[in-house]
């Protein structure tokens, strides 16, 4: 199998790999496969995944054509149907008393307890970051939890809020506006500038939610 791609130059030392697959799930799977493979390149490349693209930046002295050949070879060999192994696992304790728990139950046809069980019983995977420092878009989990964003976003979502939007779950690392369906809150430190790396959750990390005790 292979991942259909388009290579777009980004200045003198970067390349944007765009996944040319109309299906968003296969595109994201392709991103994960490319991200995992390119992180092992030598010399080391800076790899920044998103929903349908992977930005690759190389160190000074690297031949851009070499990067293009590596990207094309990785895409040709990648299997978007097989998720790469997680790089590490992080457990996130959650107090499931969010203001949208009942709405998620209504949308999914499950009870509140079944929603909590669905959110905690299957592992999630960090696909990419964005929106705010430390915010990670999590994929995987239980497919029954795919729900739309709120019709009216909140002007203020508290730090540590755990939510759902579309096929993603995520945790707000700081207070901000937001339209995700909020299931609960966690005390996990998502972003610490004095930590290396600052983000608790980065691409490739497996996340397991548990009920806080």
């Amino acid at each position: 199998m292979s991942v259909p791609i388009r290579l777009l130059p980004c200045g003198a030392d970067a390349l944007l790999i765009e996944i040319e697959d109309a299906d968003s799930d296969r595109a994201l799977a392709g991103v994960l496969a490319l991200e995992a493979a390119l992180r092992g390149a030598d010399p080391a490349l800076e790899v920044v995944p998103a929903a349908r693209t992977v930005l690759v930046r190389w160190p000074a002295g690297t031949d851009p054509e070499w990067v293009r050949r590596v990207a094309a070879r990785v895409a040709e060999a990648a299997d978007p149907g097989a998720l790469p192994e997680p790089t590490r696992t992080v457990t996130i304790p959650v107090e499931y008393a969010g203001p949208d728990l009942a709405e998620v139950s209504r949308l999914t046809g499950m009870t509140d307890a079944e929603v909590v069980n669905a959110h905690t019983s299957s592992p999630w995977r960090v696909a990419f970051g964005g929106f705010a420092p430390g915010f990670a878009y999590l994929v995987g989990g239980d497919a029954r939890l795919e729900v739309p964003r709120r019709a009216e976003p909140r002007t203020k979502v508290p730090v540590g809020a755990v939510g759902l939007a579309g096929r993603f779950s995520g945790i707000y690392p700081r207070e901000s506006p937001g339209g995700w369906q909020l299931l609960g809150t966690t005390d996990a430190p998502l972003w610490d500038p004095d930590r290396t790396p600052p983000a608790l959750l980065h691409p490739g990390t497996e996340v397991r939610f548990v009920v806080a005790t």
Side-chain angles (χ1 to χ4, degrees), residues 56-196:
V56 179
R57 186 178 181 185
W58 51 85
T62 304
D63 181 1
E65 287 305 313
W66 174 81
V67 179
R68 296 177 69 89
R69 288 195 299 271
V70 169
R73 188 169 64 245
V74 167
E76 182 62 30
D79 182 358
L83 291 178
E85 290 296 316
T87 54
R88 60 197 260 270
T89 299
V90 173
T91 299
I92 303 289
V94 179
E95 183 177 351
Y96 285 95
D100 298 320
L101 179 57
E103 176 64 5
V104 173
S105 299
R106 185 189 70 79
L107 290 169
T108 59
M110 293 189 282
T111 66
D112 290 2
E114 288 171 336
V115 168
V116 172
N117 183 63
H119 197 245
T120 57
S121 61
S122 298
W124 297 79
R125 180 76 63 83
V126 178
F128 56 92
F131 174 61
F135 190 95
Y137 289 80
L138 310 179
V139 297
D142 192 314
R144 294 176 298 172
L145 295 177
E146 184 169 331
V147 294
R149 295 166 60 93
R150 286 174 50 83
E152 294 186 12
R154 292 184 170 87
T155 58
K156 186 182 294 185
V157 175
V159 60
V162 179
L164 299 170
R167 78 189 115 155
F168 300 109
S169 187
I171 308 168
Y172 285 78
R174 65 184 184 189
E175 182 180 286
S176 66
W180 291 41
Q181 307 275 5
L182 306 182
L183 298 179
T185 56
T186 180
D187 292 331
L190 276 298
W191 178 259
D192 181 355
D194 295 325
R195 184 173 56 198
T196 303

